[in-house]
Amino acid sequence: MKECKLATGEPKLVVESLGVVIGGGRPVVIAGPCSVEDPEMIRRVASFLAEEVRDELGVRNLILRGGAWKPRTHPYSFQGHGLKALEWLKQAGEEVGIPVATEVMDPRDVEQAAELADFLWVGARNMQNTPLLRELGRSGKPVLLKRHFGAKIGEWLCAAEYILAEGNERVALIERGTRGFNEYARFSLDLTVIPVIKKVSRLPLVVDVSHPAGERSLVPPLAYGSLAAGADGIMIEIHPNPDKALSDAKQQLPLEDFKVLASGLKEAGLL
Ligand code: PEP
Ligand code: MN
């Protein structure tokens, strides 16, 4: 079998867009709700991030995340508001000058998503959706590729290779936990993956600290641990009123709790 050599070895790649740099030394924070539920809530999150996290705490390497198309286990759960949610996200980010990221699941949505979002991510469930990966490779947009919860490192890197092979070098990886033996958390976050990816891969690595946790109280330790272990950033779900969230209600942090976490990470020299 041929090696996936574009994703491995040297030189290291840095993903840059609109002043945000992933893999350049300063960790990135990708924060926002699981789903963009309505225009007001995403505006509220955007202005909170701009005023209280960027301007007050000085966390500048910042991306606003928000799901428009949601990959749900249950077909009757909220599936996201689609394209109109992406328009609300873009507008909210533009108003405060923070770049935005969203998930794409369907290759047919890539063109429109690439016009509206600054960073596109591939969710865990679509890590091996190869037509999607190729389309994202051709989009020229920065792509963040999540690891499937049952994928080996080699499979993850070969999935990244599909994007790289189309000539798009703006690719970063997101670890988000795998199925393990800890039934008290949603998934198992293996910190070993951080130094391993640093050693074998050219791609920057962000850790999603919300989805492995599955519940709010577990999120902060995973954020400290991931950054201390050398991750190039964290992705984290935050919501103005998490208990009323339409998806992932238990794990999203209220805005004020995220501010406490971000300021603690700053004080510890991790952000
Ligand atoms: C998400 O980021 O909202 C999400 C669905 O994550 P994952 O694909 O890692 O489950
Ligand atoms: Mn989620």
Side-chain angles (χ1 to χ4, degrees):
M1 197 182 76
K2 272 198 190 161
E3 257 182 85
C4 286
K5 55 182 187 315
L6 298 175
T8 53
E10 303 282 337
K12 300 289 185 202
L13 292 173
V14 168
V15 177
E16 199 169 349
S17 186
L18 301 169
V20 170
V21 184
I22 311 178
R26 184 198 279 193
V28 68
V29 175
I30 308 170
C34 180
S35 315
V36 179
E37 297 172 3
D38 59 64
E40 290 69 40
M41 69 86 74
I42 194 66
R43 267 219 179 99
R44 169 85 192 92
V45 177
S47 59
F48 159 77
L49 285 176
E51 288 158 26
E52 302 192 38
V53 178
R54 181 190 60 196
D55 299 345
E56 204 181 305
L57 298 180
V59 177
R60 289 180 208 292
N61 215 17
L62 201 53
I63 299 174
L64 171 66
R65 66 153 277 159
W69 295 281
K70 295 304 300 174
R72 304 306 301 279
T73 302
H74 199 285
Y76 308 124
S77 301
F78 173 61
Q79 303 287 312
H81 291 302
L83 195 57
K84 67 176 192 275
L86 186 47
E87 280 160 1
W88 302 333
L89 176 71
K90 177 188 163 69
Q91 174 93 35
E94 262 177 13
E95 277 170 18
V96 296
I98 297 180
V100 299
T102 205
E103 171 169 358
V104 203
M105 298 199 287
D106 189 323
R108 292 167 296 188
D109 293 327
V110 168
E111 200 179 322
Q112 273 179 318
E115 271 170 35
L116 294 166
D118 306 304
F119 293 79
L120 301 174
W121 87 77
V122 178
R125 288 156 192 81
N126 279 297
M127 188 199 85
Q128 287 178 317
N129 179 342
T130 54
L132 175 67
L133 300 174
R134 286 209 163 99
E135 200 58 42
L136 286 165
R138 291 190 283 264
S139 76
K141 279 275 162 173
V143 181
L144 314 172
L145 177 66
K146 286 198 176 196
R147 179 185 180 188
H148 186 274
F149 39 80
K152 294 186 174 183
I153 305 289
E155 293 163 338
W156 188 19
L157 294 176
C158 281
E161 188 96 1
Y162 274 88
I163 308 168
L164 294 161
E166 294 296 328
N168 186 353
E169 289 221 309
R170 290 195 293 173
V171 181
L173 301 168
I174 303 184
E175 169 62 38
R176 46 79 74 216
T178 47
R179 288 258 153 86
F181 298 96
N182 180 354
E183 74 272 43
Y184 289 82
R186 192 172 177 191
F187 292 94
S188 290
L189 179 61
D190 173 8
L191 290 184
T192 322
V193 94
I194 301 168
V196 165
I197 288 295
K198 293 275 132 198
K199 187 153 79 180
V200 303
S201 178
R202 302 171 63 201
L203 308 176
L205 173 67
V206 171
V207 178
D208 174 338
V209 293
S210 299
H211 290 85
E215 73 154 274
R216 232 160 274 162
S217 67
L218 302 182
V219 171
L222 300 188
Y224 278 92
S226 300
L227 292 171
D232 295 302
I234 52 171
M235 175 181 259
I236 184 162
E237 289 187 340
I238 63 174
H239 192 287
N241 187 359
D243 291 334
K244 291 269 155 46
L246 300 179
S247 56
D248 287 349
K250 288 202 198 116
Q251 73 195 25
Q252 304 202 58
L253 290 190
L255 306 185
E256 50 283 11
D257 290 19
F258 175 63
K259 190 174 177 186
V260 171
L261 173 60
S263 95
L265 291 168
K266 264 239 130 180
E267 260 172 53
L270 293 170
L271 271 188

